[in-house]
Amino acid sequence: MPASRSRWSPYRVPAFAAALLLLLGVGIASVWGASTLRSSNAWIGHTYEVINRIEVAERALRSTEANARAYRLTGHPEFRSQYLIAIHQVEVAHEALGAAIRDNPPQDARAKRMHASAQVHLAELRRLFDLQELQGAEAARQATDSGLTLQQWNEFEAAASEMRREELSLLAERKARSDRYATLLISIVVLGMLLSGALMVTLMASVTRENKRTRRLELEARGAAHEMALSMAQVDQLSKQRHELARYSGLLQSCQTLEEIVQLSIATIRRLLPGASGRFYLIRASQNFHDSVASFGEGLISSTDSLLPADCWALRRGQAHVVSGGEDLQLTCAHLDAGTPPHGVTALCLPLTAQGTSIGLLHVSAATHAMDHGSALDELIGQLAEQLGLAIANLQLRETLRTQSLRDPLTGLFNRRYLEESFVRELQRCDRRGLPLSVLMLDVDHFKRFNDTYGHAAGDALLGQIGRQIQAGVRAEDIACRYGGEEFTVVLPELDAPGALVRAEQIRRAVELATVQHLGQQLGPVTMSIGIATFPVDGLTPELLLQLADATLYRAKAEGRNRVLHASYED
């Protein structure tokens, strides 16, 4: 007697079509999400470019003011030439900034206000310059209105700060929008997969019910029930593992150091794969070697402390590579000991990548029976490796951005912004404790002539070496900064005038004795002029101390260069 058809039979084809449509919808949503995220990232990059152009415009105006001041103080024709060049650089910087924000009317208005403030400030500098050309440097210095200059500069800084705040606000909005798109995409994909899976399960259940009419199918159904019980146990185990992976993902976002990331990953792998062992490798900056940064377990399979990309099939192929002991015709990685893995042990190599770039390798070895749950566990470990790679890349990026925000990339010293933030704090601390504080203003002698002779690349090499010489000549609590161009500033907390003179002379002597190696050529030596001012004798505010140290620096240059002068000492 033929089996009667299930009442759900007429709905099978529509259900199957619905599942296909859901999967198609998930695919379309994925393509849309990728396109949207790409566009969002492009706008984020544009915001960073605008912020950089604002910084360039500020530096150009600072350079113009510094050269104009130096020319008024010394009358040296070199500073006159540099001042005239810097004026043109201000216009170029503002033109580039205007081109970058032309699509944003409010920002364009702020840029014009910023440009107008710069023009007013340049006009004041031009007036003093013309006065000096006609009546001499003394007349220009007497005509200098520091209050007006400061007011003009504050107006320019206010406009620049408003633009920077607006760009940072846009950056936050664009990042938030990118996060919303990512969340929406994940929701659509998960919902689509769940619905299509539910339809597929319904179809399978309908077919199973129809095949229970005969005794043979009844016996098979009993066997299937037994297998179902085993499957449920596996599903339960897989659910626990996925919960563990979700917990790992949440904790990973809070890790702040590489050590925390590695320790969290080791603990998670051990919970997913009890008895597992392995190593974490990170690629060197040279991109030639992968060095071991941590290992765990009892070493079921021995792996080298360092390896070349060619030593691992996972790094060659850019995807996971599995080798099980006892199976023939397998490609074993060269970083594993010969003859491994042994029978009953499986080796798994997973490349750690972020944005398509390799940053390391995760090697895991475990008993083969522990990884016999099919590809699900391999997939979980693979997802862990993906999240681990992204977390390490984000950590490296955060560290790079933090360093860039505080350090000058050419010399490795702190930048001017860090100086402005830290100088006030150190001065207040010394004032409260009744301690002195000295400020050094350092400038490379004849740096323009060095650049003209050897080229800008050699000039950059020279500034990098001088930065290292200054860093080596100060204490850990001192603040060594690149003030701008070839000018440096060192804040020496708790150091009086005699001590500052000794420290400055040590730095001057070290620079004088050093030479620069560039493109196989030995350049130099060069010299430095240094001006010093000490709190509280020479001034009570950071601005006054910097101005006095700067004026003393130019006095040192006027008296012959390659010397150290203190504002309170007359040679």
Side-chain angles (χ1 to χ4, degrees):
M1 180 178 179
S4 60
R5 296 183 63 191
S6 170
R7 60 176 178 174
W8 300 107
S9 297
Y11 302 103
R12 289 176 186 167
V13 174
F16 184 76
L20 289 179
L21 288 176
L22 284 171
L23 291 175
L24 179 62
V26 169
I28 294 174
S30 299
V31 173
W32 169 81
S35 175
T36 304
L37 288 175
R38 186 184 300 113
S39 174
S40 180
N41 289 335
W43 279 109
I44 291 173
H46 175 74
T47 303
Y48 280 121
E49 178 187 359
V50 172
I51 293 174
N52 179 63
R53 293 191 183 280
I54 293 172
E55 297 290 342
V56 170
E58 289 180 321
R59 287 198 300 270
L61 188 59
R62 287 195 188 98
S63 177
T64 304
E65 182 182 16
N67 286 300
R69 184 175 70 251
Y71 183 57
R72 288 198 302 274
L73 292 173
T74 65
H76 199 281
E78 179 180 348
F79 295 115
R80 181 181 183 275
S81 300
Q82 293 178 358
Y83 162 74
L84 296 174
I85 293 172
I87 289 178
H88 175 68
Q89 292 175 345
V90 171
E91 291 299 320
V92 171
H94 279 278
E95 288 178 3
L97 176 60
I101 48 83
R102 194 159 292 135
D103 60 333
N104 189 335
Q107 283 292 75
D108 187 49
R110 295 186 183 96
K112 290 179 180 177
R113 183 157 58 89
M114 180 178 170
H115 187 201
S117 299
Q119 289 297 322
V120 172
H121 192 56
L122 289 176
E124 175 62 17
L125 295 178
R126 195 176 293 112
R127 181 184 70 82
L128 296 175
F129 174 81
D130 294 339
L131 184 62
Q132 181 172 355
E133 292 291 297
L134 294 175
Q135 302 182 19
E138 185 61 27
R141 285 194 294 269
Q142 291 178 358
T144 300
D145 187 347
S146 59
L148 177 60
T149 301
L150 181 59
Q151 179 184 356
Q152 295 168 351
W153 181 254
N154 287 338
E155 293 175 356
F156 175 83
E157 281 290 314
S161 297
E162 288 181 13
M163 290 192 68
R164 192 180 294 107
R165 283 195 299 270
E166 178 62 21
E167 289 300 326
L168 290 175
S169 176
L170 289 173
L171 180 61
E173 292 177 3
R174 288 164 181 169
K175 287 183 176 179
R177 186 182 304 116
S178 180
D179 291 340
R180 289 196 299 271
Y181 287 149
T183 302
L184 178 60
L185 176 60
I186 291 172
S187 301
I188 293 174
V189 170
V190 171
L191 181 60
M193 295 301 294
L194 288 176
L195 291 176
S196 61
L199 289 173
M200 291 297 183
V201 170
T202 302
L203 291 172
M204 290 179 63
S206 175
V207 172
T208 301
R209 282 193 298 269
E210 282 190 5
N211 294 332
K212 290 183 179 180
R213 299 292 294 179
T214 66
R215 186 174 181 82
R216 181 178 58 85
L217 293 179
E218 183 178 352
L219 293 175
E220 290 180 0
R222 291 176 182 175
H226 177 67
E227 292 178 0
M228 182 70 71
L230 295 177
S231 228
M232 291 301 295
Q234 293 177 359
V235 169
D236 184 60
Q237 177 67 20
L238 181 59
S239 176
K240 292 180 180 178
Q241 291 171 342
R242 291 192 180 278
H243 175 74
E244 185 63 39
L245 187 62
R247 177 176 176 272
Y248 168 77
S249 178
L251 292 174
L252 197 61
Q253 304 303 317
S254 302
C255 291
Q256 297 182 349
T257 65
L258 178 61
E259 182 180 359
E260 289 180 351
I261 291 175
V262 170
Q263 292 303 318
L264 175 62
S265 301
I266 289 175
T268 303
I269 292 173
R270 283 178 166 173
R271 282 191 286 269
L272 293 174
L273 267 176
S277 64
R279 282 184 181 272
F280 293 86
Y281 296 89
L282 286 184
I283 194 169
R284 284 185 180 177
S286 63
Q287 304 292 313
N288 292 329
F289 282 92
H290 286 71
D291 282 334
S292 173
V293 295
S295 62
F296 61 95
E298 298 179 357
L300 297 177
I301 300 177
S302 179
S303 181
T304 57
D305 289 337
S306 63
L307 57 90
L308 292 168
D311 293 339
C312 182
W313 283 99
L315 293 177
R316 291 190 198 180
R317 301 165 61 216
Q319 61 187 41
H321 184 69
V322 183
V323 181
S324 296
E327 296 184 9
D328 297 330
L329 302 177
Q330 295 187 107
L331 297 175
T332 304
C333 297
H335 62 91
L336 304 180
D337 286 347
T340 58
H343 184 76
V345 175
T346 296
L348 175 61
C349 293
L350 294 157
L352 303 179
T353 60
Q355 303 296 327
T357 302
S358 175
I359 61 174
L361 174 73
L362 171 61
H363 167 69
V364 179
S365 58
T368 301
H369 68 81
M371 303 182 72
D372 270 348
H373 301 303
S375 62
L377 189 55
D378 292 348
E379 181 183 352
L380 288 175
I381 300 296
Q383 292 176 8
L384 182 144
E386 291 179 7
Q387 296 183 30
L388 175 61
L390 289 173
I392 294 175
N394 289 335
L395 178 66
Q396 293 173 344
L397 178 60
R398 287 199 303 269
E399 186 61 28
T400 299
L401 293 176
R402 178 181 176 276
T403 301
Q404 290 176 350
S405 68
L406 299 179
R407 297 279 183 179
D408 172 61
L410 180 60
T411 62
L413 302 178
F414 290 112
N415 54 29
R416 185 167 179 175
R417 179 180 298 175
Y418 182 82
L419 170 67
E420 293 170 351
E421 294 174 354
S422 304
F423 195 176
V424 175
R425 181 182 66 249
E426 290 297 326
L427 189 64
Q428 291 174 348
R429 184 179 64 84
C430 290
D431 187 20
R432 287 195 304 269
R433 300 175 60 183
L435 297 172
L437 179 145
S438 296
V439 181
L440 276 58
M441 293 292 288
L442 311 91
D443 191 86
V444 182
D445 296 329
H446 301 299
F447 181 71
K448 183 178 183 302
R449 186 170 63 191
F450 185 94
N451 262 353
D452 294 341
T453 303
Y454 300 109
H456 290 286
D460 289 345
L462 171 63
L463 293 177
Q465 174 158 315
I466 289 177
R468 292 189 290 274
Q469 295 286 348
I470 293 174
Q471 189 66 57
V474 299
R475 305 165 298 176
E477 61 268 25
D478 298 335
I479 304 172
C481 307
R482 185 183 180 188
Y483 196 73
E486 69 275 18
E487 196 169 11
F488 302 86
T489 304
V490 180
V491 178
L492 304 170
E494 304 181 16
L495 200 64
D496 56 11
L501 283 167
V502 172
R503 188 64 50 79
E505 180 60 29
Q506 292 172 349
I507 295 174
R508 186 203 64 79
R509 183 62 176 166
V511 172
E512 183 182 29
L513 295 177
T515 56
V516 180
Q517 295 291 335
H518 179 67
L519 299 179
Q521 182 181 7
Q522 183 170 307
L523 310 177
V526 297
T527 61
M528 294 194 79
S529 299
I530 305 176
I532 309 173
T534 300
F535 168 85
V537 177
D538 300 320
L540 301 177
T541 65
E543 294 79 9
L544 185 57
L545 290 171
L546 286 172
Q547 291 176 5
L548 195 55
D550 196 35
T552 307
L553 164 65
Y554 288 114
R555 181 161 61 89
K557 284 184 172 291
E559 294 182 8
R561 295 183 169 84
N562 192 24
R563 63 191 60 217
V564 177
L565 294 181
H566 194 287
S568 300
Y569 289 62
E570 295 290 341
D571 291 345

